Amino acid sequence: MAFTFFGKKTGKFDIAAELQEEIANRPLNVTGKIPDWLSGTLIRNGPIKVTVNGQTNDHWFDGLAMLHAFSFHEGHVNYSNKFLRSDAYHTVFDKGSLDYGGFASDPCRSLFKKFLTFLIPRSDSAIQNANVNVAKFANEYVALTEVPLPVKFDIETLDTLGVLDYQDELPKDKCWESAHPHYDSTQKEILNYLIKFGRNSYYTLYKLKDGIAQREVIAEVPINEPAYMHSFAVTENYIILTEFPLVVKPLDLIVKNQAFIKNFTWQPERGTRFIVINKKDGNIVGKYVTKPFFAFHHANAFEKDGLIHFDIVTYQDASIITGNNLYVNSNNVSPENYQSNLERFSLSLGTGTISSKVLLAKSNEFPRINDKQDGRPYTYAYLAGFSDTAQAKEELINSEGLYKVNTHTNEVLEWSEKGCSSGEPVFVAAPNAQEEDDGVVLTVILDHVRKDSFLLVLDAKSFREIGRARAPHVIPAGFHGQYFNMD
């Protein structure tokens, strides 16, 4: 992963960031053609690595949140970007310090201070470094990370507007919350879950109705050693937690002097467990164990022919997250740890049996689908390629392309360009679409050769390029994004 730094001195502080320039509503040069019917905004979220006085928090997950907006109008594209004005941002740029907690770094060295930080509720609402995803909750555009509360932003200016303060009694801090909610278009509600850590720990599933900032509990699942689960799955009738054998003893989060994720241990003998919960009444249908594996992202899940099918990007173990792979300056990356597959698990609720098969054996990540098919039978998954090796010389850089997978036939279409790394592919349906893949795929490409970035637009059906818009600067590798229709 390559990073370019632009230094800035703020008083006595020497601060450098891989991207520091902020741009407002700049028209981009377009080659090819952008469909006239695209009239919304693609918002991308991701971390920006910073160095303060020679020190850095160099884990990818702990960079400062930055939003990127690509706005479409009659075939034209405008671009904006802005740091989220989080507590972490102000700690860096106002105080010249990296003393903010993170996923893989925790500056809190005092056991007593850590105890107080974890157990005593804050009197104010911290603006988290929400660098993972974006969504729309209670009619507000929000940036998400795995710690509440969501951070509101203005979709036109990207200004930070404060936190979305839930109006309920569920935890607002001292817990973990998924940054990958699902939207039930039938019930007009968000589905998500959080983990309450404590002497008695729970997986708490909840719903959030459109326009209302009040979470309603669907179910609570008691758990002794909670697992790290980045995402989850839904079907027409069920919510499914995929509980990987990467687990934590809650007390370790307080008494061990180490970063959040380093408290988790890989216990493959436990296997991976699917916890199936009835969406309507919250009852636990069953807990079903299969082989041990790890994953960040579910592509989709659905019910068919008496089975529940789960399509997940799997790794053989959790070393991708517990090892050095995501430390951007690491020289100890093992190529085999990057290997991932798009894999389908099929569960019979009647017999409890689970089978699996590989849908895509090429390393991949960031699966997306036509969101109208979320939780329903579907055909097409779109994924970003994930290179198994890192080349030191620019001329030898492998392309990390994009894949379109037909999950029925296993046919794979691919886009790639030498020296380019692909971001998450976001599908946008065409107006009056008749088929599942009528539309376009949008993604941000990092061009290592030209040392810049561009927005790529693919025809989703043929998976061929129809247009691109060159960004005014390098956009570092990010996480997730959403297209919001502004009509």
Side-chain angles (χ1 to χ4, degrees):
M1 192 175 299
F3 295 88
T4 303
F5 286 87
F6 303 94
K8 172 185 176 183
K9 289 193 175 182
T10 306
K12 63 181 178 179
F13 309 130
D14 186 2
I15 301 173
E18 55 181 330
L19 174 58
Q20 204 154 300
E21 180 184 34
E22 296 182 323
I23 289 173
N25 208 31
R26 180 177 296 181
L28 301 184
N29 181 43
V30 172
T31 57
K33 181 174 175 57
I34 306 297
D36 291 341
W37 55 262
L38 275 175
S39 58
T41 300
L42 172 69
I43 302 288
R44 299 280 303 143
N45 197 352
I48 299 296
K49 181 185 172 185
V50 294
T51 297
V52 178
N53 298 328
Q55 294 185 332
T56 181
N57 277 349
D58 59 357
H59 194 280
W60 191 26
F61 288 9
D62 289 336
L64 293 180
M66 178 178 277
L67 301 177
H68 306 263
F70 295 87
S71 300
F72 301 89
H73 180 68
E74 296 181 348
H76 300 284
V77 184
N78 282 18
Y79 172 78
S80 304
N81 73 298
K82 186 171 285 188
F83 279 105
L84 205 67
R85 267 35 178 196
S86 64
D87 290 5
Y89 172 89
H90 290 294
T91 297
V92 170
F93 287 102
D94 296 346
K95 300 179 181 179
S97 171
L98 290 174
D99 190 18
Y100 63 90
F103 181 84
S105 56
D106 187 347
C108 188
R109 300 304 179 192
S110 162
L111 177 62
F112 180 70
K113 180 181 175 185
K114 194 167 187 176
F115 181 83
L116 292 178
T117 299
F118 189 82
L119 290 183
I120 297 179
R122 295 178 56 122
S123 59
D124 60 335
S125 296
I127 299 180
Q128 299 292 347
N129 184 33
N131 63 7
V132 178
N133 204 353
V134 291
K136 194 173 185 180
F137 286 5
N139 294 333
E140 300 280 1
Y141 296 102
V142 294
L144 303 174
T145 186
E146 294 179 332
V147 181
L149 294 165
V151 180
K152 299 186 294 184
F153 66 90
D154 186 303
I155 197 169
E156 294 184 356
T157 65
L158 301 184
D159 288 343
T160 303
L161 303 178
V163 300
L164 177 67
D165 195 1
Y166 294 124
Q167 303 300 304
D168 55 56
E169 299 303 315
L170 286 174
K172 298 180 182 180
D173 56 10
K174 319 310 174 196
C175 66
W176 181 99
E177 188 169 36
S178 172
H180 285 282
H182 290 262
Y183 183 70
D184 187 325
S185 57
T186 302
Q187 300 298 320
K188 305 296 183 185
E189 61 190 16
I190 295 286
L191 300 174
N192 206 0
Y193 75 98
L194 57 83
I195 302 176
K196 291 192 269 186
F197 295 106
R199 183 174 299 168
N200 299 309
S201 297
Y202 297 89
Y203 301 141
T204 301
L205 288 82
Y206 66 84
K207 58 186 176 181
L208 186 69
K209 291 287 188 181
D210 280 1
I212 302 174
Q214 182 174 356
R215 297 168 293 180
E216 299 178 43
V217 174
I218 298 172
E220 288 201 314
V221 181
I223 187 70
N224 291 326
E225 296 184 4
Y228 177 75
M229 301 178 291
H230 184 71
S231 62
F232 67 111
V234 299
T235 66
E236 181 181 358
N237 296 297
Y238 305 107
I239 301 172
I240 305 99
L241 300 178
T242 306
E243 189 185 52
F244 313 108
L246 181 63
V247 297
V248 66
K249 295 178 180 178
L251 186 61
D252 287 350
L253 295 170
I254 303 173
V255 302
K256 288 191 174 181
N257 188 27
Q258 54 189 5
F260 172 78
I261 195 60
K262 292 181 180 178
N263 293 287
F264 288 73
T265 59
W266 180 249
Q267 299 180 20
E269 67 279 2
R270 298 166 67 112
T272 293
R273 187 166 66 162
F274 293 113
I275 303 175
V276 182
I277 297 148
N278 188 296
K279 190 188 291 186
K280 294 180 181 178
D281 59 25
N283 288 330
I284 298 175
V285 176
K287 302 175 182 180
Y288 308 91
V289 178
T290 187
K291 64 183 181 182
F293 67 91
F294 178 74
F296 291 111
H297 301 116
H298 295 67
N300 199 14
F302 59 93
E303 303 164 43
K304 187 176 180 181
D305 300 329
L307 301 174
I308 300 179
H309 302 281
F310 315 88
D311 293 349
I312 307 173
V313 175
T314 63
Y315 299 83
Q316 64 179 3
D317 59 36
S319 57
I320 184 70
I321 193 171
T322 59
N324 293 321
N325 297 292
L326 297 176
Y327 285 89
V328 296
N329 288 329
S330 174
N331 294 317
N332 299 311
V333 176
S334 300
E336 61 271 16
N337 293 337
Y338 274 125
Q339 177 61 44
S340 59
N341 298 314
L342 178 61
E343 193 166 359
R344 172 167 292 178
F345 296 84
S346 299
L347 164 66
S348 170
L349 294 182
T351 64
T353 57
I354 301 173
S355 62
S356 66
K357 64 178 182 180
V358 173
L359 300 178
L360 178 64
K362 298 179 180 180
S363 285
N364 63 89
E365 255 300 349
F366 300 132
R368 295 296 297 261
I369 63 170
N370 182 331
D371 287 340
K372 292 181 180 179
Q373 304 304 124
D374 187 19
R376 300 178 174 89
Y378 78 118
T379 302
Y380 301 108
Y382 308 93
L383 308 102
F386 197 28
S387 178
D388 292 336
T389 58
Q391 300 287 352
K393 296 182 179 179
E394 293 174 2
E395 64 269 25
L396 296 179
I397 291 175
N398 291 336
S399 64
E400 296 176 324
L402 297 161
Y403 301 117
K404 175 187 179 182
V405 179
N406 185 317
T407 62
H408 295 170
T409 67
N410 282 22
E411 178 189 9
V412 178
L413 299 180
E414 183 176 354
W415 177 93
S416 66
E417 189 168 306
K418 185 177 180 180
C420 290
S421 297
S422 304
E424 177 190 50
V426 176
F427 175 84
V428 182
N432 304 313
Q434 299 299 307
E435 297 183 318
E436 183 183 324
D437 59 349
D438 282 346
V440 297
V441 171
L442 307 176
T443 190
V444 176
I445 303 295
L446 178 58
D447 189 332
H448 299 276
V449 176
R450 291 187 50 161
K451 301 188 187 322
D452 64 7
S453 299
F454 59 90
L455 175 75
L456 177 68
V457 183
L458 300 178
D459 173 69
K461 190 174 291 292
S462 67
F463 220 54
R464 294 177 179 173
E465 178 178 346
I466 57 176
R468 65 176 63 183
R470 187 72 58 175
H473 50 218
V474 170
I475 299 175
F479 291 136
H480 301 288
Q482 307 293 337
Y483 177 82
F484 299 100
N485 200 327
M486 307 305 291
D487 286 345

